Amino acid sequence: MLTILLRTVIIYVLVLFVLRYLGKKQLGEMQPIELVVTLIIADLACNPMADTSIPFLYGIIPILVLVVMHQALNFFITKFIPFRTLVIGKPAVVITPDGIDYKILKKLDMNAFDLLESLRQEGYFDLSEIQYAIFETTGKISVLLKNEFMPASKADVCNELCETKIPLTVIIEGKIIAKNLEKINFSQEKLIDLLFKQNIKKIKDLTVVTLNSDGDMYIQSKYAKSVTLNINKEILTQ
């Protein structure tokens, strides 16, 4: 009995520290790889606690190996965006200004009932108020309202012709997203030149850079405060 008690305490403390080490995502909205690791760790932890015939190290070593594998995988999905898309997937835009994208909805193996339920859970009951809705890779839905349904502070600074659009991510974790630059007809050379003028000489030092339809560029460096600058709209159309 004492052996089982000691095994239980040690495994409990180990799993607790492992989950804390892996990060808060393990306790909240999880990516598929995080869910898999959590489930396997839970299963591995149960065996040596309940069955004293199983060598104690047979429970501890696999858990530690999983932690190392998970951290290695996180490194690769951070450094290589195509690999991240392959392993985790990418957000799916299910509602656009043209309405619900049924093809995307089917790719997600969902139907209109699932979509409406997800929207209601986030407090959105009227489809006519929604400009964009995006299913994140965690399964959570993000919503951008049409301009006229935005909070007053936002609506007051926009005129009736202003259209709400999703800001494009042009740099993330030190990697330039060429496809998003192409969407706005913006070259990498112009982007690098703008960053250079902000005294940013290394792209790899940037956490995220986004650009919205008003020409506002948000720049967040790993080692400095965020900066927001407005790009002349004429530049975006050149």
Side-chain angles (χ1 to χ4, degrees), residues 124 129-133 142-146 150 164-167:
Y124 303 101
E129 297 179 359
I130 297 173
Q131 183 86 343
Y132 290 96
S142 302
V143 174
L144 181 65
L145 294 174
K146 291 180 179 178
M150 286 284 193
T164 305
K165 292 184 179 180
I166 300 175

Side-chain angles (χ1 to χ4, degrees), residues 32 36 45 66 75 80 111 124 147 183 186 199 203 211 218:
V36 169
L66 278 175
F75 173 80
F80 306 103
N111 54 42
Y124 303 101
N147 187 61
K183 290 179 181 178
F186 201 74
N199 202 30
I203 299 297
L211 185 61
Y218 174 87

Side-chain angles (χ1 to χ4, degrees), residues 7 11 47-49 51-62:
R7 281 173 171 241
I11 292 294
N47 294 330
M49 283 194 298
D51 190 349
T52 56
S53 66
I54 299 176
F56 196 48
L57 288 178
Y58 283 21
I60 294 179
I61 292 176

Side-chain angles (χ1 to χ4, degrees), residues 115-169:
L115 175 59
L116 292 175
E117 182 179 353
S118 297
L119 290 170
R120 288 195 298 269
Q121 288 176 347
E122 295 299 319
Y124 303 101
F125 292 83
D126 192 344
L127 287 172
S128 65
E129 297 179 359
I130 297 173
Q131 183 86 343
Y132 290 96
I134 304 171
F135 268 109
E136 308 293 352
T137 55
T138 58
K140 186 179 178 64
I141 193 167
S142 302
V143 174
L144 181 65
L145 294 174
K146 291 180 179 178
N147 187 61
E148 59 267 30
F149 298 106
M150 286 284 193
S153 57
K154 174 67 177 179
D156 289 343
V157 298
C158 264
N159 57 45
E160 295 180 357
L161 298 177
C162 182
E163 181 183 2
T164 305
K165 292 184 179 180
I166 300 175
L168 289 176
T169 302

Side-chain angles (χ1 to χ4, degrees), residues 78-79 81 170-177 202-209 220 222:
T78 300
K79 295 297 181 181
I81 294 176
V170 293
I171 295 178
I172 187 165
E173 292 295 342
K175 306 292 182 181
I176 296 177
I177 312 299
K202 295 182 179 179
I203 299 297
K204 66 178 183 179
D205 290 341
L206 294 171
T207 300
V208 64
V209 177
Q220 178 62 67
K222 295 177 181 178

Side-chain angles (χ1 to χ4, degrees), residues 21 31 37 47 50 66 72-73 84 119 125 132 147 168 172 179 183-184 206 210 226 235 237:
Y21 175 73
Q31 303 284 1
V37 169
N47 294 330
L66 278 175
L73 191 59
R84 175 185 175 85
L119 290 170
F125 292 83
Y132 290 96
N147 187 61
L168 289 176
I172 187 165
K179 290 184 179 179
K183 290 179 181 178
I184 55 176
L206 294 171
T210 64
S226 63
I235 296 178
T237 58

